[in-house]
Amino acid sequence: MEQVTQPLISHPGPFPSKLYRYRSVSPSNLDRLVDFEIMEEGIYLAGLKDLNDPDEGRFLVAFEGTREEIASYWKEALKSTDSGASPGEAERLAYERTDEIIAAGRRIPKHVVEYTRHVVEHVLRVACFTTLPTNYSMWANYAKYHDGSSASVDHGGLCIEYTCDESWRSVNLSPVVYSDEVPRINPVSRNEAELVKVVYSKSSEWRCEDEWRIFMIIHSIPPFPPNLTANSKIRIEGGVSGIIFGLKTPEHIVAEVSARVKQTGRSIALRRVVRDPTTYERVLSDVE
């Protein structure tokens, strides 16, 4: 995926100086995690369907406008999708769909909504970050250690620290907006910014994550190729500045990752979450 020069969204305020991405660790993914995500500074972008919020990318569609305005939208839509219909047939279909929508109270048929979500959940790609490197909930949910058995250890993974600067603007970095109001989109307005904002909207129950996202669109249409996710990745040069291990990250993982980082001579800080049992204060301590 190529980084675009014109951002799809532009955050008006300052960026955080540091961002953090929690990562689970297992024997099967350790090499990829160290080599690709840390050493090569690569970032995989997940489809909305792959995220843990089942309502990710939620939005309601409401056709607003006159009959002619709605029909005009359908004419353009049929043309852009190369439906193969003749001009006369496209006109007939446009008005047929328009009248169906108006007759249904301008609500979209369920099968259309389901297909739209299927496409959106595949082609809209995000990577999630936070400003909170010692958040216990995040460590428990997103940074586990899997030893290859059915068991997993919360707080057993690692967290990658990134130095954030203006170069992140080209990958559409922006904070998530938390609200219990479901976004509404009017296709007739052809306002792509409305759909982009959907990607940065989540319900209020997730606000404890203090999330920032980068967002890209992968150009593909159904049927999607099997390598869609494998090819959904970008690289931000000079981004990785540190690795943070969890309270319960196994010592052999700490030792192996630390050794591999030090062998490269890269200036990457190695730290670990520690807790003072007398105060329950959480701090980051350097790994020797």
Side-chain angles (χ1 to χ4, degrees):
M1 298 172 64
E2 297 295 329
Q3 297 183 22
V4 295
T5 55
Q6 182 63 37
L8 296 169
I9 190 170
S10 184
H11 176 58
F15 287 158
S17 60
K18 300 287 185 182
L19 285 173
Y20 303 89
R21 195 173 192 207
Y22 290 87
R23 312 303 284 154
S24 288
V25 175
S26 69
S28 63
N29 81 343
L30 185 61
D31 285 343
R32 176 182 58 80
L33 194 61
V34 174
D35 294 339
F36 178 73
E37 298 195 36
I38 297 174
M39 296 297 115
E40 297 180 22
E41 300 178 304
I43 297 173
Y44 281 105
L45 287 86
L48 297 185
K49 67 180 180 62
D50 300 317
L51 304 182
N52 65 339
D53 179 1
D55 290 336
E56 195 70 61
R58 61 182 184 159
F59 63 91
L60 302 177
V61 177
F63 278 84
E64 299 172 1
T66 66
R67 181 173 182 264
E68 290 301 319
E69 288 171 336
I70 297 174
S72 176
Y73 162 80
W74 281 114
K75 292 175 189 176
E76 289 296 319
L78 289 166
K79 180 180 178 181
S80 67
T81 55
D82 191 22
S83 65
S86 66
E89 178 68 5
E91 176 121 350
R92 185 191 68 78
L93 285 171
Y95 280 102
E96 180 180 285
R97 294 184 181 183
T98 297
D99 292 338
E100 287 175 352
I101 288 171
I102 292 175
R106 299 174 184 252
R107 294 179 62 86
I108 310 302
K110 184 178 179 181
H111 72 277
V112 176
V113 173
E114 290 175 343
Y115 179 77
T116 301
R117 283 205 61 87
H118 170 70
V119 175
V120 165
E121 288 176 347
H122 281 78
V123 301
L124 303 188
R125 317 295 297 189
V126 300
C128 308
F129 304 83
T130 182
T131 60
L132 308 169
T134 59
N135 183 307
Y136 274 180
S137 176
M138 303 282 278
W139 277 103
N141 289 328
Y142 305 117
K144 301 176 184 289
Y145 174 69
H146 302 275
D147 64 1
S149 69
S150 59
S152 63
V153 179
D154 296 343
H155 305 259
L158 58 83
C159 179
I160 303 175
E161 177 190 83
Y162 298 85
T163 295
C164 182
D165 57 26
E166 282 298 307
S167 67
W168 289 64
R169 199 171 295 281
S170 67
V171 291
N172 307 298
L173 179 66
S174 195
V176 166
V177 175
Y178 299 97
S179 172
D180 290 325
E181 182 177 350
V182 181
R184 297 176 66 87
I185 290 179
N186 175 22
V188 178
S189 69
R190 299 180 177 85
N191 185 352
E192 292 182 352
E194 290 182 348
L195 184 57
V196 172
K197 288 179 181 178
V198 164
V199 178
Y200 296 89
S201 302
K202 288 178 70 71
S203 61
S204 299
E205 62 192 305
W206 296 92
R207 67 172 67 249
C208 64
E209 295 188 348
D210 193 27
E211 184 179 340
W212 287 67
R213 289 183 168 180
I214 59 178
F215 164 59
M216 306 287 280
I217 300 174
I218 195 165
H219 297 289
S220 184
I221 58 175
F224 296 113
N227 63 350
L228 186 73
T229 295
N231 288 329
S232 179
K233 54 192 177 184
I234 59 172
R235 179 174 181 263
I236 301 180
E237 188 174 358
V240 175
S241 57
I243 301 170
I244 301 167
F245 301 101
L247 279 169
K248 299 180 181 179
T249 303
E251 291 300 330
H252 71 276
I253 296 295
V254 175
E256 181 174 348
V257 173
S258 298
R260 290 171 65 171
V261 169
K262 290 175 181 176
Q263 284 174 0
T264 67
R266 293 271 300 278
S267 179
I268 296 178
L270 299 170
R271 289 167 292 169
R272 186 167 197 163
V273 177
V274 296
R275 180 190 60 200
D276 185 333
T278 63
T279 64
Y280 288 94
E281 180 183 9
R282 306 168 208 167
V283 296
L284 300 179
S285 176
D286 291 339
V287 172
E288 298 299 331

